[in-house]
Amino acid sequence: MENNRLKTVVEDLEQVLLEFMRKHLVTHEEYRLVTDLLIHTVKAGEESLLYDVFFEAQATDLGNVGRKGSLEAIEGPFYLKGAPELTAPYVMPQRPEEAGDLLFFNGRVTNAEGQPIAGVELDVWHADALGLYSNIHSNIPEWNLRGRFHTDGNGNFEVRTVLPPPYEIPKDGPTGTVLSALGRHFFRPAHLHVKVSHRDYRTLTSQLYFRGGKYLDSDVASAVRDGLVADLIKHESGSEMSKRNLSASYFELTYDFELTYDFASIPKELSA
Ligand code: BEZ
Ligand code: FE
């Protein structure tokens, strides 16, 4: 953050919080309770969970104002850099008998002119059929249901995975304590996370929800936006299954991404 902006923003936050304390006559005991709770979130390994539940969606909404291209969405606390690079045809890393319905996630990545972009990286991560994330929750193989793959020469991509369910965020730690005190539930609607990146374009963090899914209207992280909800199509006819050489029904989610230029990557003399 630029130094001037940091000073402006932090001093304003200080004033807002001081005013808040005066308004509610916050006691010394209550003050210490809050600082202990914040320290406890880190000690409990919740890192950004508490803040992402309450505030991240506001930050992405503000980032979307006046910006072209696909909607930005929250990243959440469970993204990890360095997921395995997959080879085509793309299948998300999974256990031999990974539970959950088959899902094909596909689409196209274009620029603002509608031209396809080849070689775009999609870094996808999502919960398993029990609503748990690898490398975060225990007893799941490393990098399970986390993987990176690329668009082809026509800007198209497709990956095979399993359908994640709605899930409960961790509720036994300080974030759960706060949500319980507010009488809120702990659920997020089912979703896929994806980071879409290419060296010439601004990296897009997205998150896609399934139309008609549970908790779309009451997401604990208040992060669902119309433009992020896509149709989940069930394919169950014999001809659809044999087209993909499958003997079971499967789901398909299609979502197209539009990337915007990363002006920082354009030489100054050209962007002036
Ligand atoms: C998630 O998308 O995984 C998430 C987002 C905010 C809080 C907790 C989880
Ligand atoms: Fe998630």
Side-chain angles (χ1 to χ4, degrees), residues 87-164:
T87 49
Y90 301 125
V91 179
M92 291 292 276
Q94 55 191 267
R95 291 160 278 199
E97 300 295 328
E98 189 71 41
D101 290 314
L102 257 187
L103 169 68
F104 289 89
F105 168 40
N106 56 33
R108 194 163 197 239
V109 185
T110 60
N111 62 18
E113 288 78 46
Q115 290 160 337
I117 314 173
V120 172
E121 182 184 278
L122 291 104
D123 187 345
V124 171
W125 73 105
H126 66 82
D128 69 10
L130 294 177
L132 304 174
Y133 282 86
S134 63
N135 306 45
I136 303 287
H137 301 102
S138 41
N139 301 324
I140 306 175
E142 252 204 326
W143 303 111
N144 203 57
L145 302 177
R146 295 177 183 269
R148 289 181 291 145
F149 50 92
H150 292 87
T151 55
D152 65 17
N154 297 315
N156 294 319
F157 68 89
E158 178 169 272
V159 68
R160 176 180 159 158
T161 188
V162 293
L163 192 63

Side-chain angles (χ1 to χ4, degrees), residues 75-76 78 125-127 133 167 188 191 193 207:
E75 177 181 285
F78 302 143
W125 73 105
H126 66 82
Y133 282 86
Y167 65 79
R188 298 222 59 220
H191 58 270
H193 293 271
Q207 184 170 158

